[in-house]
Amino acid sequence: MIFRRSSTISTSLSQKEVREKLIGQHFKVHGLDFEVMDKGGVMKIIPHTELAEEKVYTLPITHLIPKESGGKTKIKIKSKPRRIDIGGPTIALFFIVFIMAAGAIMLFSGETDYTKAAYAMLGLGFVALLFFAMRMGSGYFDYIRKIRTWIKSEI
């Protein structure tokens, strides 16, 4: 999906050493506590939102999948939004796409009466898309960047 991100990092530590080093650790991103847990052989980085003082909207769940190959361990980092958080951004994105598509259809329909309205809808959609991208970049995607940076610093 559009909000999922993945990356890979390499380390000289073994898979067992990586697990020992990360599992059970807590760290903070924007004042919110994250914990590394082992669930079913996959390490997960889960946010603890019950301790959050301010309202947090979209947070990632990050899976760490270590695999050894040739004396090195490659760690696949996969982040996706929590199920409870994904509804709002998805609806907002569909609304923005709908507004822009309607504006484009109105513009290319050939009716000169709708030209101003079409440009207004395209402009509104573009501004809403910029606002949405800025909010997601400073929120959800910033959490992902900082989690990845923390993992790199620990390994």
mmCIF file of all heavy atoms in Angstrom, residues 11 14 18-19 28-29 41 61-62 73 88 90-91 93-94 109-110 113 118 123 125 132 136 144 146:
data_model
loop_
_atom_site.group_PDB
_atom_site.id
_atom_site.type_symbol
_atom_site.label_atom_id
_atom_site.label_comp_id
_atom_site.label_asym_id
_atom_site.label_seq_id
_atom_site.Cartn_x
_atom_site.Cartn_y
_atom_site.Cartn_z
ATOM 1 N N THR A 11 24.821 -5.552 8.855
ATOM 2 C CA THR A 11 25.657 -5.466 10.043
ATOM 3 C C THR A 11 26.568 -6.681 10.098
ATOM 4 O O THR A 11 26.266 -7.728 9.514
ATOM 5 C CB THR A 11 24.813 -5.365 11.330
ATOM 6 O OG1 THR A 11 25.682 -5.254 12.440
ATOM 7 C CG2 THR A 11 23.906 -6.556 11.507
ATOM 8 N N SER A 14 25.927 -11.194 14.332
ATOM 9 C CA SER A 14 25.125 -12.361 13.950
ATOM 10 C C SER A 14 23.650 -12.081 14.243
ATOM 11 O O SER A 14 23.308 -11.134 14.949
ATOM 12 C CB SER A 14 25.582 -13.599 14.727
ATOM 13 O OG SER A 14 25.211 -13.493 16.098
ATOM 14 N N VAL A 18 22.048 -9.620 17.159
ATOM 15 C CA VAL A 18 21.112 -8.537 16.826
ATOM 16 C C VAL A 18 19.867 -8.656 17.701
ATOM 17 O O VAL A 18 19.404 -7.671 18.285
ATOM 18 C CB VAL A 18 20.744 -8.568 15.329
ATOM 19 C CG1 VAL A 18 19.579 -7.634 15.035
ATOM 20 C CG2 VAL A 18 21.945 -8.194 14.474
ATOM 21 N N ARG A 19 19.336 -9.866 17.807
ATOM 22 C CA ARG A 19 18.140 -10.079 18.637
ATOM 23 C C ARG A 19 18.414 -9.735 20.103
ATOM 24 O O ARG A 19 17.609 -9.078 20.747
ATOM 25 C CB ARG A 19 17.658 -11.516 18.523
ATOM 26 C CG ARG A 19 17.009 -11.831 17.217
ATOM 27 C CD ARG A 19 16.489 -13.268 17.214
ATOM 28 N NE ARG A 19 15.785 -13.540 15.995
ATOM 29 C CZ ARG A 19 14.538 -13.185 15.762
ATOM 30 N NH1 ARG A 19 13.853 -12.545 16.674
ATOM 31 N NH2 ARG A 19 13.954 -13.459 14.613
ATOM 32 N N LYS A 28 12.631 6.636 22.603
ATOM 33 C CA LYS A 28 11.609 7.664 22.412
ATOM 34 C C LYS A 28 11.790 8.364 21.078
ATOM 35 O O LYS A 28 12.904 8.657 20.663
ATOM 36 C CB LYS A 28 11.667 8.695 23.526
ATOM 37 C CG LYS A 28 11.194 8.162 24.858
ATOM 38 C CD LYS A 28 10.932 9.293 25.826
ATOM 39 C CE LYS A 28 10.461 8.770 27.151
ATOM 40 N NZ LYS A 28 9.099 8.318 27.157
ATOM 41 N N VAL A 29 10.660 8.621 20.427
ATOM 42 C CA VAL A 29 10.605 9.429 19.212
ATOM 43 C C VAL A 29 9.501 10.447 19.439
ATOM 44 O O VAL A 29 8.354 10.077 19.700
ATOM 45 C CB VAL A 29 10.295 8.572 17.970
ATOM 46 C CG1 VAL A 29 10.146 9.451 16.746
ATOM 47 C CG2 VAL A 29 11.355 7.521 17.758
ATOM 48 N N GLY A 41 8.962 -15.004 16.216
ATOM 49 C CA GLY A 41 10.226 -15.018 15.503
ATOM 50 C C GLY A 41 10.537 -13.743 14.744
ATOM 51 O O GLY A 41 11.590 -13.622 14.145
ATOM 52 N N ILE A 61 3.900 0.549 12.819
ATOM 53 C CA ILE A 61 4.338 -0.709 13.418
ATOM 54 C C ILE A 61 5.487 -1.161 12.518
ATOM 55 O O ILE A 61 5.327 -1.254 11.306
ATOM 56 C CB ILE A 61 3.228 -1.771 13.412
ATOM 57 C CG1 ILE A 61 2.035 -1.316 14.220
ATOM 58 C CG2 ILE A 61 3.762 -3.114 13.883
ATOM 59 C CD1 ILE A 61 2.227 -1.312 15.700
ATOM 60 N N THR A 62 6.638 -1.434 13.092
ATOM 61 C CA THR A 62 7.815 -1.773 12.299
ATOM 62 C C THR A 62 8.239 -3.210 12.592
ATOM 63 O O THR A 62 8.353 -3.601 13.745
ATOM 64 C CB THR A 62 8.971 -0.803 12.623
ATOM 65 O OG1 THR A 62 8.520 0.540 12.415
ATOM 66 C CG2 THR A 62 10.173 -1.069 11.758
ATOM 67 N N THR A 73 24.748 -9.985 8.537
ATOM 68 C CA THR A 73 23.319 -10.092 8.771
ATOM 69 C C THR A 73 22.644 -8.917 8.094
ATOM 70 O O THR A 73 22.996 -7.763 8.330
ATOM 71 C CB THR A 73 23.005 -10.085 10.283
ATOM 72 O OG1 THR A 73 23.704 -11.161 10.902
ATOM 73 C CG2 THR A 73 21.525 -10.229 10.534
ATOM 74 N N GLY A 88 -8.119 7.386 8.549
ATOM 75 C CA GLY A 88 -8.131 8.826 8.300
ATOM 76 C C GLY A 88 -7.290 9.245 7.106
ATOM 77 O O GLY A 88 -7.791 9.923 6.195
ATOM 78 N N THR A 90 -6.269 7.445 4.595
ATOM 79 C CA THR A 90 -6.799 6.849 3.372
ATOM 80 C C THR A 90 -8.001 7.623 2.867
ATOM 81 O O THR A 90 -8.103 7.930 1.666
ATOM 82 C CB THR A 90 -7.173 5.375 3.615
ATOM 83 O OG1 THR A 90 -6.023 4.678 4.103
ATOM 84 C CG2 THR A 90 -7.650 4.719 2.341
ATOM 85 N N ILE A 91 -8.910 7.969 3.748
ATOM 86 C CA ILE A 91 -10.089 8.750 3.346
ATOM 87 C C ILE A 91 -9.667 10.124 2.831
ATOM 88 O O ILE A 91 -10.185 10.598 1.816
ATOM 89 C CB ILE A 91 -11.084 8.867 4.523
ATOM 90 C CG1 ILE A 91 -11.729 7.510 4.785
ATOM 91 C CG2 ILE A 91 -12.149 9.917 4.234
ATOM 92 C CD1 ILE A 91 -12.569 7.454 6.033
ATOM 93 N N LEU A 93 -6.830 10.965 1.424
ATOM 94 C CA LEU A 93 -6.184 10.808 0.126
ATOM 95 C C LEU A 93 -7.205 10.529 -0.977
ATOM 96 O O LEU A 93 -7.110 11.094 -2.076
ATOM 97 C CB LEU A 93 -5.144 9.690 0.189
ATOM 98 C CG LEU A 93 -4.142 9.626 -0.938
ATOM 99 C CD1 LEU A 93 -3.373 10.941 -1.052
ATOM 100 C CD2 LEU A 93 -3.182 8.485 -0.733
ATOM 101 N N PHE A 94 -8.203 9.687 -0.705
ATOM 102 C CA PHE A 94 -9.254 9.438 -1.692
ATOM 103 C C PHE A 94 -10.039 10.710 -1.992
ATOM 104 O O PHE A 94 -10.390 10.976 -3.141
ATOM 105 C CB PHE A 94 -10.200 8.325 -1.226
ATOM 106 C CG PHE A 94 -9.663 6.951 -1.440
ATOM 107 C CD1 PHE A 94 -9.768 6.008 -0.445
ATOM 108 C CD2 PHE A 94 -9.039 6.588 -2.619
ATOM 109 C CE1 PHE A 94 -9.267 4.727 -0.619
ATOM 110 C CE2 PHE A 94 -8.531 5.314 -2.813
ATOM 111 C CZ PHE A 94 -8.647 4.379 -1.806
ATOM 112 N N SER A 109 -13.755 18.514 -20.315
ATOM 113 C CA SER A 109 -15.059 18.191 -20.903
ATOM 114 C C SER A 109 -15.409 19.112 -22.062
ATOM 115 O O SER A 109 -16.274 18.794 -22.863
ATOM 116 C CB SER A 109 -16.159 18.255 -19.838
ATOM 117 O OG SER A 109 -16.372 19.598 -19.438
ATOM 118 N N GLY A 110 -14.754 20.253 -22.142
ATOM 119 C CA GLY A 110 -14.990 21.158 -23.258
ATOM 120 C C GLY A 110 -15.976 22.271 -22.951
ATOM 121 O O GLY A 110 -16.136 23.186 -23.748
ATOM 122 N N ASP A 113 -18.109 27.039 -19.484
ATOM 123 C CA ASP A 113 -18.777 27.540 -18.279
ATOM 124 C C ASP A 113 -18.132 26.998 -16.999
ATOM 125 O O ASP A 113 -18.232 27.610 -15.946
ATOM 126 C CB ASP A 113 -20.259 27.147 -18.279
ATOM 127 C CG ASP A 113 -21.026 27.767 -19.434
ATOM 128 O OD1 ASP A 113 -20.531 28.767 -19.989
ATOM 129 O OD2 ASP A 113 -22.098 27.246 -19.778
ATOM 130 N N ALA A 118 -13.323 24.346 -12.514
ATOM 131 C CA ALA A 118 -12.359 23.263 -12.699
ATOM 132 C C ALA A 118 -10.990 23.661 -12.155
ATOM 133 O O ALA A 118 -10.338 22.877 -11.448
ATOM 134 C CB ALA A 118 -12.248 22.895 -14.173
ATOM 135 N N GLY A 123 -6.869 23.446 -8.040
ATOM 136 C CA GLY A 123 -6.060 24.191 -7.076
ATOM 137 C C GLY A 123 -6.307 23.734 -5.658
ATOM 138 O O GLY A 123 -5.366 23.554 -4.877
ATOM 139 N N GLY A 125 -7.420 20.804 -4.718
ATOM 140 C CA GLY A 125 -6.844 19.468 -4.586
ATOM 141 C C GLY A 125 -5.339 19.506 -4.430
ATOM 142 O O GLY A 125 -4.770 18.775 -3.618
ATOM 143 N N PHE A 132 -1.428 17.618 3.029
ATOM 144 C CA PHE A 132 -1.434 16.215 3.438
ATOM 145 C C PHE A 132 -0.008 15.658 3.445
ATOM 146 O O PHE A 132 0.401 14.988 4.403
ATOM 147 C CB PHE A 132 -2.322 15.400 2.484
ATOM 148 C CG PHE A 132 -2.369 13.935 2.779
ATOM 149 C CD1 PHE A 132 -3.137 13.445 3.820
ATOM 150 C CD2 PHE A 132 -1.647 13.033 2.016
ATOM 151 C CE1 PHE A 132 -3.188 12.097 4.103
ATOM 152 C CE2 PHE A 132 -1.685 11.683 2.281
ATOM 153 C CZ PHE A 132 -2.457 11.211 3.323
ATOM 154 N N MET A 136 1.971 14.311 6.770
ATOM 155 C CA MET A 136 2.449 12.928 6.831
ATOM 156 C C MET A 136 3.981 12.899 6.928
ATOM 157 O O MET A 136 4.543 12.052 7.618
ATOM 158 C CB MET A 136 1.974 12.130 5.616
ATOM 159 C CG MET A 136 0.489 11.860 5.602
ATOM 160 S SD MET A 136 -0.086 10.862 6.972
ATOM 161 C CE MET A 136 0.468 9.246 6.477
ATOM 162 N N ILE A 144 9.061 6.904 11.031
ATOM 163 C CA ILE A 144 9.757 5.822 10.328
ATOM 164 C C ILE A 144 11.234 6.150 10.156
ATOM 165 O O ILE A 144 12.101 5.301 10.404
ATOM 166 C CB ILE A 144 9.084 5.553 8.959
ATOM 167 C CG1 ILE A 144 7.697 4.955 9.173
ATOM 168 C CG2 ILE A 144 9.950 4.609 8.116
ATOM 169 C CD1 ILE A 144 6.902 4.782 7.900
ATOM 170 N N LYS A 146 13.105 8.143 11.976
ATOM 171 C CA LYS A 146 13.794 8.138 13.266
ATOM 172 C C LYS A 146 13.936 6.726 13.835
ATOM 173 O O LYS A 146 14.920 6.426 14.503
ATOM 174 C CB LYS A 146 13.088 9.070 14.239
ATOM 175 C CG LYS A 146 13.315 10.512 13.807
ATOM 176 C CD LYS A 146 12.821 11.506 14.773
ATOM 177 C CE LYS A 146 13.215 12.875 14.227
ATOM 178 N NZ LYS A 146 12.714 13.967 14.924
#
